[in-house]
Amino acid sequence: MSTEIEKSPVEELEHAQEARGPVDENAAATDRYGASLFTFDSVAERKLRTKLDLFVIPTVALLYLFCFIDRANIGNARLAGLERDLKMTGKDDYNTLLSVFYISYIVFEIPSNLCCKLIGPGWWIPAISLCFGIVSILTAYVQDLGQACGVRFVLGMFEAGMLPGISYYLSRWYRRSELAFRLSLFLVMAPLAGAFGGLLASGILTLSHFGGLHQWRMIFAIEGIITSGLAVISFFTLTDRPETARWLTQEEKELAINRVKSERVAQRAVLDKIDRKKLWLGFSNPIILSSAFVFLFNNITIQGLAFFAPTIVATIYPTRTTVEKQLLTVPPYVVGALFTVVLPYMSWHTDKRQIFLILTTQLVIMGYIMFLASNDGTVRYVATFFLTSSCFCMGPLSNAQVAAQTVSDTSRSIAIGTNVMFGNMGGLVATWSYLSTDGPNYPIGNGLNLASACMILILTTLTLFWMEWDNKRRDKKDIDEELKGMSQKEIESLEWKHPAWRWRP
């Protein structure tokens, strides 16, 4: 009687490669025509993917939850008397306070992501999380608008690296088709922060005091302490890359590396050294720039909701108590969280992103038409559900699209940083979209958001047609002729200009 010994994932891989020899981290993963040189066992992949989901996602999701809460809780603090206590008498003082955050947030976006690549996400993400947790605590002690602006500027400086850093970090672990859903598992914390932040603020405000702090000051102090505690823990739970993961076997490490590398045309290393040409091609990539403008327009809505949802609800239900107004902001965000996961899940199984960007924009357009067409409180409250069910899912879809359209690790790091930087320019616009003089119906703010959604629909549709056109043009090229006379280093530096490259809609 013979016994069949089950093969490990690497043995399966080596057999599929017809005895190519040991897996070499610096070996080419594709041929000169862009075809993968690896064949993977689907069962081994599924087991590895489940393990990655359990060990990689939870830490970054929790950190991003409190990152967004520490940023958006100023809207809750506003309802609890922040403007009164800081003597913010100017009609635009609150908008100025919001804008200061975005100045540093935009400026430090790309530098932070390059630091993330150089230092490693396993150290960089926990470090900046600890810093903005401490800054959030310090916000509880500001005494006037000037001090508040200073603290918010520093907060933006540290928070700038979170969204691009985590997006880049996850691209080290997951395939192109898998990334949108995994990004959604941490970006879903943005709408959940709106829901959970409202609940948490309501609970905190029921306390008589916290130490020597009262009212809105307690919100910043307590939430900042929670953030700092999670950041310290993350130094031990966040693994930098597959090679350093103690919870992966050697076979699983090699499988994780080769899965990612097999989708990178002509690249020999998963984590390449920073190269000026690759940085430029990552920034100037036409699909990256298109996605960046889409994310810019999308963030006008997302950040506008984050900062002004409590104010908008207060104008719809002016007779409710402060705690009731905080609680009414929760249901739309819960619906938004659901859609933020469901649509990227569909994207994962279809390996499509652009079409979902096109479809979701139409719900945003519908929501703002309702805001502009009716003054009825119920209609306008229902409209917020249309907005949250669609605008939040564009974050994971947009960043996944950016990651899918880049080749090397270097170009991906700057491309994601560029996408998020443009997005936060939209956040800066959002801070001035809802002015007190425009209330209570805010036709200017709602009109601006409607125009932004329409621009997204136009941009995403035109980009889809261009990608298909350019892929057909590339199909006509002679790859051997295009690469003739080039060294391996020159071929690797071609990025999206490589003749074997195809856009992935």
Side-chain angles (χ1 to χ4, degrees):
M1 183 176 68
S2 62
T3 303
E4 183 178 351
I5 300 175
E6 184 179 353
K7 294 180 180 180
S8 70
V10 169
E11 290 172 331
E12 297 269 358
L13 186 149
E14 290 172 346
H15 176 71
Q17 295 179 149
E18 301 180 345
R20 279 168 50 85
V23 176
D24 181 1
E25 186 180 334
N26 293 314
T30 67
D31 61 22
R32 66 194 287 111
Y33 307 107
S36 172
L37 296 177
F38 295 100
T39 303
F40 302 103
D41 177 73
S42 59
V43 175
E45 270 203 283
R46 185 170 64 251
K47 290 180 180 178
L48 173 65
R49 191 165 53 236
T50 300
K51 202 169 186 178
L52 297 181
D53 291 343
L54 293 174
F55 281 86
V56 174
I57 302 294
T59 296
V60 294
L62 277 174
L63 289 176
Y64 192 70
L65 170 65
F66 279 89
C67 169
F68 207 88
I69 286 177
D70 288 347
R71 176 194 322 170
N73 57 12
I74 194 167
N76 303 110
R78 185 187 194 188
L79 286 184
L82 175 137
E83 290 177 297
R84 179 196 64 236
D85 292 348
L86 297 185
K87 299 178 177 59
M88 295 166 60
T89 56
K91 63 180 181 180
D92 295 330
D93 283 354
Y94 181 70
N95 301 82
T96 300
L97 182 57
L98 298 182
S99 298
V100 167
F101 170 87
Y102 277 101
I103 293 172
S104 57
Y105 201 58
I106 293 168
V107 169
F108 287 95
E109 206 80 61
I110 291 178
S112 181
N113 224 36
L114 292 179
C115 287
C116 186
K117 175 175 172 58
L118 286 169
I119 297 173
W123 289 98
W124 184 251
I125 293 174
I128 60 176
S129 298
L130 178 61
C131 288
F132 66 70
I134 293 172
V135 172
S136 181
I137 297 171
L138 295 176
T139 309
Y141 297 93
V142 299
Q143 299 299 322
D144 55 42
L145 177 60
Q147 292 179 9
C149 286
V151 171
R152 291 289 292 184
F153 182 89
V154 177
L155 182 70
M157 183 174 68
F158 291 122
E159 285 203 2
M162 286 300 286
L163 176 52
I166 296 174
S167 299
Y168 162 68
Y169 172 61
L170 294 183
S171 73
R172 288 185 169 190
W173 298 86
Y174 292 101
R175 281 180 178 268
R176 178 187 70 243
S177 61
E178 302 163 351
L179 191 57
F181 180 62
R182 273 69 195 184
L183 290 177
S184 77
L185 294 179
F186 92 83
L187 283 169
V188 71
M189 295 303 165
L192 284 180
F196 182 63
L199 289 172
L200 186 57
S202 300
I204 292 172
L205 289 173
T206 61
L207 300 175
S208 60
H209 65 281
F210 178 72
L213 303 173
H214 300 271
Q215 296 180 319
W216 60 269
R217 297 182 186 276
M218 296 189 298
I219 296 175
F220 290 110
I222 293 174
E223 293 176 355
I225 289 172
I226 296 172
T227 301
S228 301
L230 290 172
V232 171
I233 294 172
S234 70
F235 277 106
F236 303 96
T237 60
L238 201 65
T239 305
D240 195 68
R241 59 192 185 279
E243 299 95 309
T244 61
R246 297 178 181 177
W247 39 271
L248 289 178
T249 66
Q250 184 60 33
E251 291 82 2
E252 289 171 331
K253 290 178 182 180
E254 292 170 347
L255 179 58
I257 292 168
N258 289 326
R259 273 172 19 101
V260 173
K261 190 162 62 170
S262 67
E263 296 183 333
R264 301 185 178 181
V265 176
Q267 301 299 304
R268 290 184 176 271
V270 175
L271 301 180
D272 60 324
K273 295 181 179 179
I274 289 182
D275 177 273
R276 186 175 299 176
K277 183 178 180 181
K278 289 182 178 180
L279 287 174
W280 170 247
L281 289 173
F283 176 81
S284 61
N285 184 317
I287 306 303
I288 303 307
L289 294 176
S290 170
S291 296
F293 277 103
V294 166
F295 204 38
L296 185 157
F297 290 120
N298 175 239
N299 266 267
I300 294 176
T301 297
I302 289 180
Q303 305 301 341
L305 282 175
F307 293 127
F308 297 101
T311 302
I312 293 171
V313 170
T315 62
I316 296 174
Y317 300 105
T319 60
R320 301 293 182 94
T321 65
T322 299
V323 172
E324 288 175 332
K325 292 172 185 175
Q326 302 275 15
L327 293 175
L328 282 168
T329 65
V330 174
Y333 281 111
V334 173
V335 173
L338 176 65
F339 276 81
T340 300
V341 174
V342 169
L343 292 175
Y345 181 82
M346 295 168 65
S347 169
W348 169 23
H349 288 283
T350 59
D351 196 12
K352 301 291 182 183
R353 290 152 296 277
Q354 199 71 15
I355 189 64
F356 287 100
L357 289 171
I358 293 171
L359 293 175
T360 56
T361 307
Q362 297 172 48
L363 293 176
V364 181
I365 292 173
M366 187 181 302
Y368 282 112
I369 288 176
M370 292 170 67
F371 264 119
L372 290 167
S374 176
N375 292 328
D376 182 79
T378 302
V379 172
R380 305 189 87 200
Y381 187 60
V382 170
T384 61
F385 287 83
F386 281 97
L387 302 180
T388 57
S389 66
S390 48
C391 67
F392 284 103
C393 66
M394 289 189 187
L397 290 171
S398 173
N399 282 284
Q401 183 68 309
V402 166
Q405 310 309 324
T406 51
V407 184
S408 68
D409 189 72
T410 293
S411 65
R412 184 171 288 106
S413 66
I414 193 169
I416 293 175
T418 299
N419 190 57
V420 180
M421 180 188 73
F422 272 70
N424 288 308
M425 290 180 186
L428 180 59
V429 174
T431 63
W432 294 94
S433 59
Y434 290 93
L435 300 173
S436 57
T437 53
D438 195 30
N441 295 325
Y442 299 102
I444 296 175
N446 293 324
L448 173 64
N449 278 282
L450 176 59
S452 298
C454 291
M455 284 300 299
I456 292 175
L457 183 60
I458 294 170
L459 265 175
T460 51
T461 304
L462 291 177
T463 300
L464 178 60
F465 285 128
W466 185 86
M467 292 167 79
E468 293 176 348
W469 172 83
D470 196 53
N471 281 343
K472 291 178 181 178
R473 182 182 66 85
R474 288 168 180 261
D475 289 340
K476 300 175 182 178
K477 290 186 176 183
D478 185 328
I479 295 177
D480 291 320
E481 184 63 29
E482 295 280 338
L483 299 179
K484 188 176 180 180
M486 289 189 180
S487 65
Q488 177 59 35
K489 183 177 181 180
E490 289 173 328
I491 292 174
E492 286 189 23
S493 296
L494 288 174
E495 294 285 329
W496 53 273
K497 292 189 175 183
H498 193 291
W501 172 258
R502 297 295 182 271
W503 305 110
R504 282 105 169 185

